Amino acid sequence: MTSTADALWVGIDLGTQSVKAIVATESGEISASGQHSLTSTRNTETGRHEQSPREWTDAAASAIAQAMAQLTDADRSRIAGLSYCSTSGTVVVLDDNGDPATTGLMYDDSRGAAFADALRDAGADRWMKLGVVVQPGWALCRIAWFAHEGQLPPGHRIAHQGDVLAEAMTGTCMPTDWSSALKSGYDVIAHEWPPDVFATASVDLSQLPEVVAPGTHVGETSAAWEQASGLPSGTPVFAGTTDGCAAQLGAGALAPGDWHTVVGTTLVLKGVTPHPISDGSGAVYSHRAPHGDYWFPGGASNVGAGALTAIFPDADLAALDASVGERTAAITPSYPLTRRGERFPFLSADAAGFALMPDSRRLDDLRTLTLEAGVESVWAGVACVERLCFDMLTKHGAPLTGRFSSSGGGTRGATWNRMRASLLDRPIALPETAEGSLGMAILARWGAGQAAFAEPLELERVASSMSRIRTIVDPDAALATRLSDTYNAFRSALTSKGWIS
């Protein structure tokens, strides 16, 4: 058997736009990687967003094959396990042969929204105990839609996006993990599918997958998958998790009080706590962590780096970093929400972006400022949203005593990182990579230890050895003073609109 010191671990990230696969060493070095694009079918008028489940598996096989081609035969023999992540809330119906009977309904397909109220009422006591609120965008509503449309007949069953990949790799029926199952209505405290809720949805419990902890050993890859992907048959497969949890694993944010922020098109926060965190509205919800008796609370704002390209599509942000960093004038407060509706740190279907300018409240009017002042306003606005998220989490009992880290496209600029650290008054660690695929390689390594294929290790220890820190951004006292006034004006504006109290 390959010693753990020489072992290689495969992580697969099955996303919306592509599948990424990496092969990592025990120290987190990336030995090989591959990627293959995915396509979607959308219709904004009907709320439709679909993908082909067969494309998921074909694209994953292609991405893995690219990575395998970069390894020698000796390297491939050192592969000791794999895990996978996928988008949270994407579901499909499989027939009695395990083949897709429907397209995959993606996480933001809204055709099941009309079922939310009935499903919320059916499990009201249970949802209150769990600290969650069933949202119209939950996979549970899409499952009810499948049943209502006659697409879930007897003998057919529900699977999540990652489950489909696991079944393709092993050739057998696979369980799901409790993070992927959360938005499908799974009770992560009682460890059961709620009978009353699924009776309301007209779904038999036998049509729902078995649920296991992320990192559980669930099977081995088949000879057919080796032929399709080049991955050696018999490779141990460990149950995966959602993409958001995978990024947290990749960043090594796994000790109580640790928090990780992804600054992508939107802003996603997730942390580690000894108990679930809820605000009562559903803006915050908690995944059960793979390890110990911990929880991964968090939420996702519709504000993020996407505002920059929406408002300043032609700006060279990298070139602006230094000049924005040299500004000392007052910062124009803004809430850079470029679409209607907010999810976190508050829920409001009517929320809209604004800029607090002398003669205007229109977000687009930031373009009338100098480019540096306008970009600085957006950067500060996103930083204000992040600070408000943490203020709200603190209010509801979340500990912020650990390491703060961050990843995503919005962390490429030194000035923006410094603004965020200064407003939070916390150092922010920037990992070399917090890719979901690396998080899954970490989960596979930990799962192997839990399954006694190697010496058992704590998940935090595995992550700390495989997730490398690129740099740490410290707060700047002078910048914090400028941002304090901006944040106070930002909060006052949100309060006046009734969005926060």
Side-chain angles (χ1 to χ4, degrees), residues 57-141:
T57 55
D58 289 348
S62 176
I64 295 170
Q66 293 172 41
M68 293 301 105
Q70 299 163 29
L71 302 176
T72 65
D73 289 343
D75 289 335
R76 286 190 289 274
S77 70
R78 294 161 53 201
I79 294 174
L82 71 85
S83 191
Y84 48 90
C85 66
S86 60
T87 55
S88 175
T90 297
V91 287
V92 63
V93 175
L94 304 180
D95 65 19
D96 53 3
N97 293 318
D99 295 322
T102 66
T103 57
L105 268 57
M106 301 299 289
Y107 55 89
D108 57 350
D109 187 292
S110 62
R111 284 173 287 180
F115 298 96
D117 288 345
L119 297 169
R120 191 181 300 129
D121 292 344
D125 292 341
R126 187 184 295 263
W127 305 137
M128 182 176 295
K129 182 178 179 181
L130 287 167
V132 300
V133 177
V134 174
Q135 302 293 336
W138 271 30
L140 175 60
C141 300

Side-chain angles (χ1 to χ4, degrees), residues 261-274:
T261 304
V262 180
V263 189
T265 303
T266 58
L267 190 74
V268 181
L269 277 76
K270 202 173 292 291
V272 186
T273 61

